[in-house]
Amino acid sequence: MQQKSTNTNVAATSRNAASKRRSTGERDCRPGWRGWNLRRGVSCWIALVVVVGLIAGPAAGVQPEPQPQTQTNATGGLAEAPSPTDRVNITYTLDRSPNERGHALVTANVTLPSDVSSFDISLPSAATVQRTQGFERDEPGTMGWEWNGSTRHASITYLASVNATSGGDLEGVATGQWALFDWRTVGIDWESERTDDGTETRPSETARVAEQGVAGPNFAYLGPGQTYDRTVDGTTIRLVVPKHAQPANEPQAMLTALAKAERSLQLNARTTHVDVFVAPPPIGVSGRSGGVTRNDRHDMLVHQSKRLATPDNVLLHEYVHSKQRYDTTDEMEWINEGSAEYYGALLAYRQGLVSFETFRDFAVSEAYPESTLADRESWSSSRVAYRKGLRTFTALDATIRSRSNGTRSLEHVFRRLNQHEGEITDDVFATYVAEAAGESLTAWLDEHVESATVANVPTSEARYGQSGSQAADTTTGSVTAAVLRPAIANAPPVLFVGGIVLLLAGWARRPPDGSR
């Protein structure tokens, strides 16, 4: 399921003109477990103890892929990239609230450049403000807070309800022991005056966790757990497994499926980081995409019960959403879920997770024969886009392969959609389909998209490209794991550098209760 995100920034119309904009912010953050926190009252002297051979290096003959360079800050997480001084910067610090089940403690730290003349922040409904600096309530009884101009480094701390439902199922929750939720819940307004070239002030919104957990560009997990990551062709895929989760699949198997998908699906949609959150009960949704990819970063959550060995593959379905970089008209919105459902099943087949017969039986669903994909008013359920969209794309891909003599496929269409500037209309879609097929398929699209006619799905396995037996596992990226548990919260830090473990000895840290 894809979550939609919008930005409605309005650029300045002339030099020295004031511009007012509203934004949900840019989705970019440098997440990481927040483990070691150096505060006042912490002292240490350091000796390096070198332990050689405790962690085995790569097997002979196997060369790991180069890993991206990261910088650790004082709290042990990934360092934030320097924020440009010409934009509004908002950093949300997220923390659990054990005494307030269903809530998380949020501090929004706002830095405003000199050209910003006013700034308002609208908190989520029922939020309880605990303290502010540089903000005053906009109007009594509202959730709006206005910057008072006293400082350009303002902040507001509030208790936010994070329990959320979708279709009757929980999709965000805070249990007291852990929390998993969508942290993007505020609205911002600002006015700025440019004195140089009239370019607009761009907002940047990032999140970090106060203690244990991971914050992605949209979702955040707070609590103990384990992470696994693999880098494939410049894309780092990180799997976040909460301590209380019991995944139906081995984490390494999930990473392998995602790594193969990254290499197999070439849609001109570069993503440098993808965070996958495994969702334990009481969360009930099967899966959810974080929405629009921002700054080449994406995230999603997948319920712990979802298996890999099925054509109804939630993990791969949600991953396909990270490759969708286009906007559609309402008439063409069905292609988002339809293509994710199709490629999720096709990738499962190509990876050998399911047989061709299982894949085809899933694709030839007879569901919603009376519904027209391009006419939402004819839909009896939102599942029309998934199920009938799946069957239509299965048939369309096979048709393109046949008409182009196997030289092109549906992937060519989606590569072009991702490059397209402007909304995807039915005419735009038909143009790129014709380009891929080498001839017009307008009549085919009119019959199966603009009307309710059910598309015929070919029975030949050769019409669907590389089979599972041919899809060798060519991923060689290294895998790392990071574990944080409360029991080791006061242990000395350990650095792993090139096969050598460096223990930082002589560590002293004030216990959580403040005693010495």
Side-chain angles (χ1 to χ4, degrees):
M1 179 174 67
Q2 186 179 36
Q3 174 188 358
K4 297 194 72 174
S5 173
T6 59
N7 268 333
T8 54
N9 295 345
V10 180
T13 56
S14 63
R15 185 183 301 271
N16 300 326
S19 60
K20 186 169 185 177
R21 310 172 182 87
R22 182 171 184 83
S23 173
T24 56
E26 293 190 76
R27 303 193 170 194
D28 177 33
C29 70
R30 302 298 176 94
W33 291 111
R34 315 299 297 177
W36 293 97
N37 198 348
L38 300 180
R39 300 185 178 94
R40 285 183 298 178
V42 176
S43 61
C44 65
W45 56 270
I46 298 175
L48 298 183
V49 181
V50 181
V51 183
V52 182
L54 292 183
I55 299 180
V62 178
Q63 297 298 323
E65 291 186 355
Q67 297 298 301
Q69 296 298 313
T70 58
Q71 177 183 355
T72 57
N73 59 20
T75 56
L78 296 181
E80 298 283 348
S83 298
T85 58
D86 64 343
R87 67 168 62 182
V88 175
N89 285 289
I90 310 172
T91 300
Y92 301 90
T93 301
L94 313 173
D95 200 359
R96 287 181 291 166
S97 181
N99 297 327
E100 297 286 346
R101 294 174 65 89
H103 293 77
L105 189 65
V106 182
T107 297
N109 292 289
V110 182
T111 301
L112 302 172
S114 59
D115 63 285
V116 171
S117 56
S118 71
F119 181 88
D120 297 328
I121 185 168
S122 298
L123 303 183
S125 60
T128 303
V129 175
Q130 297 194 345
R131 58 184 177 272
T132 66
Q133 180 180 4
F135 283 107
E136 297 175 356
R137 188 178 289 276
D138 191 5
E139 294 181 6
T142 70
M143 301 310 297
W145 289 76
E146 182 180 10
W147 173 55
N148 61 20
S150 62
T151 176
R152 291 199 172 271
H153 298 280
S155 66
I156 183 168
T157 298
Y158 56 95
L159 197 64
S161 174
V162 299
N163 284 7
T165 59
S166 175
D169 293 321
L170 274 174
E171 62 179 4
V173 69
T175 68
Q177 294 179 311
W178 59 272
L180 178 56
F181 58 95
D182 184 344
W183 59 265
R184 289 188 168 274
T185 56
V186 305
I188 57 175
D189 283 281
W190 72 98
E191 290 182 353
S192 66
E193 294 183 0
R194 282 289 184 182
T195 58
D196 45 16
D197 58 359
T199 57
E200 64 174 330
T201 300
R202 299 174 299 154
S204 172
E205 292 182 276
T206 61
R208 59 192 305 169
V209 298
E211 296 182 0
Q212 292 176 307
V214 169
N218 303 280
F219 298 114
Y221 169 70
L222 309 180
Q226 189 165 359
T227 64
Y228 305 80
D229 60 84
R230 187 175 301 183
T231 299
V232 183
D233 296 338
T235 297
T236 297
I237 304 168
R238 178 169 57 174
L239 188 67
V240 182
V241 183
K243 178 183 178 181
H244 297 276
Q246 297 179 341
N249 313 284
E250 289 294 328
Q252 300 298 346
M254 297 174 71
L255 275 181
T256 295
L258 293 170
K260 286 182 177 180
E262 177 64 29
R263 284 215 167 126
S264 173
L265 205 58
Q266 300 297 316
L267 301 181
N268 285 340
R270 173 175 169 76
T271 306
T272 60
H273 292 81
V274 178
D275 288 324
V276 182
F277 294 85
V278 176
I283 291 177
V285 293
S286 59
R288 183 179 170 196
S289 168
V292 177
T293 299
R294 301 285 184 181
N295 297 325
D296 297 331
R297 305 178 74 91
H298 191 87
D299 60 0
M300 61 189 191
L301 63 82
V302 175
H303 196 270
Q304 67 173 28
S305 64
K306 296 307 171 182
R307 299 182 299 112
L308 285 175
T310 173
D312 188 13
N313 196 303
V314 175
L315 179 69
L316 296 176
H317 172 109
E318 298 301 342
Y319 193 74
V320 173
H321 282 311
S322 73
K323 303 299 182 183
Q324 297 171 340
R325 305 297 176 81
Y326 50 79
D327 294 318
T328 71
T329 60
D330 290 344
E331 185 182 23
M332 293 301 296
E333 191 174 351
W334 67 272
I335 71 174
N336 297 328
E337 298 299 347
S339 62
E341 195 80 345
Y342 170 59
Y343 278 120
L346 183 66
L347 290 169
Y349 154 62
R350 287 181 175 176
Q351 293 182 19
L353 298 172
V354 299
S355 67
F356 173 73
E357 291 74 19
T358 301
F359 159 72
R360 188 180 183 280
D361 288 346
F362 180 68
V364 296
S365 167
E366 298 290 344
Y368 312 109
E370 74 290 347
S371 297
T372 299
L373 287 170
D375 180 14
R376 291 201 60 142
E377 292 185 359
S378 72
W379 295 10
S380 57
S381 166
S382 61
R383 298 295 298 175
V384 169
Y386 294 75
R387 304 302 296 136
K388 194 164 189 177
L390 158 69
R391 178 165 184 152
T392 302
F393 274 127
T394 304
L396 180 58
D397 194 9
T399 301
I400 292 173
R401 291 173 186 272
S402 175
R403 301 291 179 89
S404 67
N405 295 318
T407 60
R408 286 182 176 171
S409 69
L410 187 65
E411 287 188 37
H412 175 86
V413 177
F414 278 91
R415 281 195 290 270
R416 298 290 278 138
L417 295 183
N418 283 332
Q419 294 173 323
H420 184 78
E421 295 184 4
E423 286 188 319
I424 305 301
T425 65
D426 55 347
D427 288 338
V428 170
F429 186 73
T431 297
Y432 293 139
V433 168
E435 183 180 280
E439 61 181 88
S440 174
L441 292 182
T442 299
W444 193 99
L445 294 172
D446 286 345
E447 183 178 7
H448 301 107
V449 176
E450 302 293 337
S451 76
T453 304
V454 177
N456 293 321
V457 176
T459 59
S460 172
E461 186 173 5
R463 299 285 288 275
Y464 299 94
Q466 189 179 37
S467 68
S469 60
Q470 296 170 312
D473 182 4
T474 59
T475 60
T476 57
S478 62
V479 180
T480 61
V483 183
L484 282 181
R485 302 183 188 278
I488 63 170
N490 290 303
V494 177
L495 300 180
F496 173 53
V497 182
I500 299 176
V501 176
L502 304 180
L503 300 180
L504 304 186
W507 183 265
R509 180 182 179 184
R510 178 175 296 175
D513 61 2
S515 61
R516 294 184 182 275

